[in-house]
Amino acid sequence: MTAPISELAALLPEGALVTDEATSDAYRHDSASSCAAGRPLGVVRPTTTAEVQAVMRWASRHRVPVVPQGARTGLSGAANAVDGALLVSMVRMDRILEIDEVDQVAIVEPGVVNADLSRAVAAVGLFYPPDPSSWELSTIGGNLATNAGGLCCVKYGVTADFVRGLEVVLADGEVVRVGRRTAKGVAGYDLTRLLVGSEGTLGIITEATLALRPAPEPALTMAAVFAKTADAMTAVTRIMASGMRPSMMEFLDKPSIRAVQAYRDMGLPVDAEAMLITQSDRGPLAAADVAAMGAICEELGASEVAVAEDAVESAMLTQARRLVNPAVEELGATLIDDVAVPRARLVDLLAGMEQIAAATGTFVICPGHIGDGNMHPTVVFDRGDDAAAERAQRAFDAIMRLALDLGGTITGEHGVGLLKRTWLRSELGERSYALQQQIKSVFDPLGILNPGKVL
Ligand SMILES: Cc1cc2nc3c(=O)[nH]c(=O)nc-3n(C[C@H](O)[C@H](O)[C@H](O)COP(=O)(O)OP(=O)(O)OC[C@H]3O[C@@H](n4cnc5c(N)ncnc54)[C@H](O)[C@@H]3O)c2cc1C
């Protein structure tokens, strides 16, 4: 053990710091299979804010880069090790500290798994809406640091919409509390919102105060199958323009349907070009909502419109959507785009994507949170084939260019991380990019927090 590492070990409880190569290796990567990862010094798994402070004071003293980590389900390489970094895995700070039914807030440590929080608040009739497809694995800390979206976001909003306050350990080891517990509050600049989505580059979140809502009624689910993808896109714009607020609106294209069906037999229509899955959770009005959404799909030529008969069928359709990522991973190496465009431009995005796939000779699968205009065109290629990887990268980049040209963004929910870092300037413009660099240097003057990510 080198001198600074033994100094760190002495500051922490027995077992909190692990430096053996096998363990460090296991923590090197998040779930973005195509991003590079460096060789870390070791992994710390703190259990208290004071331990995180000790780590950051030590890191500042010795100018050691630090990479905060949650469950490493991230899809942009943001949690990947950089050479010589200390990885700080927050998964052991996993307590739900309080659920307040009057103020409708939960106070949690960052290592709480999203689905565990959802179940805990549901037990008292409350609801934490942000539900990334990774909800059974990903942590609240990771969700906050990426401003994660999910299936319910089309109606309820993303993680940032449910954050009231944060406790954060800064780069120099000081603790700050930002935000508030109350429903309202406008004192000073909104540092909470700034920290949400900052991908571990501005501070380490050690506690969060999250807003909850009363639990909605169980949702009714409708699935519509289309022979033409453009018709499904038109159905989305018609439904959203009708004034209805579906509580979920997801899209699977033909390759996604086939990938999921091959991964797990769910009776999906493998010959369909496109499938829309929508929900309404408006209690007694839900049946009329899904019937109206179904009627729009039928008018637009859907070959089949089915309403789930019960909660089990409904959960199966939702599960089909959640299984896309693991199913696609089975097909080969992937580069997962995360573009979002105004809903009216979805048709252009899909058409442009097909042209890009043809021009680059690549295979692109396109599922997405279509109600938000947030799609995941995923370039699949053979592992170990350098020429295929180069073509995939060209397709991946061209899709981001297309999204920007359509008035959209390079990332709707996965974040910039390593994967889209070279594109951030194109989206922000020079002045805005420079402002972000200045903000980074205010929070992290030594540049030790998750260096090389985002900016
Ligand atoms: C199958 C699958 C489905 C997915 N579906 C969705 C989806 O529907 N919507 C969506 O938005 N994303 C989705 N993702 C991406 C991923 O799950 C999210 O980005 C998630 O929020 C990451 O959480 P994590 O705990 O795994 O964090 P990690 O991947 O470990 O880290 C993500 C980022 O957060 C930072 N971080 C982690 N904890 C802290 C902390 N306490 N303080 C400061 N920074 C921290 C890391 O440095 C990194 O920058 C999916 C991923 C998979 C594998």
Side-chain angles (χ1 to χ4, degrees):
M1 221 182 258
T2 56
I5 275 284
S6 49
E7 182 192 324
L8 177 64
L11 294 169
L12 297 168
E14 184 81 34
L17 171 67
V18 183
T19 54
D20 73 85
E21 207 174 311
T23 310
S24 298
D25 265 4
Y27 282 78
R28 277 177 71 210
H29 277 280
D30 67 11
S31 302
S33 54
S34 303
C35 287
R39 292 264 154 223
L41 282 181
V43 186
V44 175
R45 289 172 291 194
T47 54
T48 64
T49 299
E51 287 170 27
V52 180
Q53 287 187 271
V55 166
M56 290 314 303
R57 287 199 187 105
W58 169 88
S60 283
R61 246 188 336 269
H62 298 288
R63 312 236 163 163
V64 173
V66 167
V67 179
Q69 295 185 330
R72 290 179 293 107
T73 66
L75 292 172
S76 70
N80 279 9
V82 295
D83 280 334
L86 184 69
L87 307 177
V88 180
S89 169
M90 301 301 288
V91 294
R92 285 190 178 165
M93 289 184 69
D94 62 352
R95 290 177 306 156
I96 296 174
L97 302 171
E98 186 184 344
I99 297 173
D100 177 339
E101 294 168 56
V102 177
D103 279 330
Q104 299 188 341
V105 293
I107 300 181
V108 303
E109 291 184 331
V112 172
V113 169
N114 180 303
D116 289 341
L117 175 63
S118 296
R119 283 189 278 265
V121 302
V124 294
L126 293 171
F127 177 41
Y128 177 65
D131 62 339
S133 298
S134 58
W135 72 328
E136 289 284 3
L137 299 170
S138 64
T139 64
I140 294 297
N143 294 170
L144 290 163
T146 55
N147 192 8
L151 308 192
C152 293
C153 297
V154 64
K155 178 166 179 183
Y156 294 101
V158 295
T159 301
D161 299 310
F162 293 88
V163 188
R164 296 256 177 98
L166 297 172
E167 178 189 85
V168 179
V169 174
L170 298 173
D172 61 5
E174 289 293 303
V175 182
V176 288
R177 297 190 81 90
V178 296
R180 57 202 156 77
R181 181 186 178 114
T182 52
K184 296 170 82 177
V186 290
Y189 299 132
D190 191 346
L191 297 184
T192 312
R193 195 85 188 201
L194 177 61
L195 283 153
V196 172
S198 64
E199 301 185 39
T201 62
L202 300 182
I204 302 188
I205 298 162
T206 47
E207 189 190 290
T209 303
L210 305 173
L212 306 170
R213 297 175 55 103
E217 298 285 333
L220 276 185
T221 306
M222 187 276 293
V225 169
F226 292 85
K228 283 195 205 143
T229 309
D231 294 341
M233 304 286 150
T234 310
V236 171
T237 51
R238 289 253 189 105
I239 290 169
M240 297 312 281
S242 71
M244 278 185 272
R245 289 295 298 276
S247 52
M248 184 175 106
M249 180 170 267
E250 294 291 319
F251 173 82
L252 299 180
D253 68 348
K254 187 179 206 163
S256 322
I257 297 169
R258 291 189 166 186
V260 174
Q261 182 61 22
Y263 185 73
R264 195 173 295 172
D265 182 4
M266 300 188 110
L268 299 179
V270 288
D271 290 326
E273 284 300 318
M275 186 161 120
L276 277 187
I277 305 172
T278 72
Q279 288 188 338
S280 168
D281 62 359
R282 292 205 306 149
L285 303 175
D289 285 348
V290 289
M293 292 189 243
I296 290 174
C297 293
E298 269 165 357
E299 264 169 45
L300 288 163
S303 54
E304 205 185 318
V305 171
V307 175
E309 303 254 307
D310 51 37
V312 177
E313 231 177 83
S314 189
M316 220 172 88
L317 283 168
T318 314
Q319 181 67 356
R321 172 62 186 92
R322 290 192 191 278
L323 285 178
V324 173
N325 286 57
V328 172
E329 286 292 329
E330 296 283 301
L331 303 179
T334 55
L335 276 172
I336 306 178
D337 261 307
D338 173 39
V339 292
V341 296
R343 292 177 192 123
R345 306 309 300 273
L346 281 163
V347 178
D348 303 320
L349 178 71
L350 267 284
M353 194 198 82
E354 277 169 21
Q355 281 166 13
I356 290 166
T360 51
T362 49
F363 176 54
V364 184
I365 289 188
C366 192
H369 309 297
I370 200 162
D372 293 319
N374 182 195
M375 304 298 281
H376 296 311
T378 302
V379 194
V380 183
F381 57 102
D382 286 340
R383 289 193 177 91
D385 179 340
D386 290 346
E390 191 271 325
R391 284 196 301 277
Q393 186 65 50
R394 271 195 287 129
F396 177 79
D397 287 343
I399 291 168
M400 279 189 283
R401 178 74 269 155
L402 173 66
L404 291 179
D405 291 345
L406 293 172
T409 173
I410 57 169
T411 176
E413 58 180 19
H414 294 165
V416 175
L418 285 173
L419 198 57
K420 295 156 223 138
R421 195 173 166 228
T422 53
W423 279 85
L424 187 61
R425 208 186 276 258
S426 302
E427 173 160 344
L428 297 182
E430 288 304 321
R431 188 77 179 104
S432 177
Y433 185 82
L435 277 174
Q436 300 223 358
Q437 287 178 313
Q438 285 166 344
I439 289 169
K440 165 74 175 168
S441 64
V442 168
F443 276 81
D444 181 20
L446 301 177
I448 57 171
L449 268 171
N450 215 0
K453 314 292 174 60
V454 184
L455 293 171

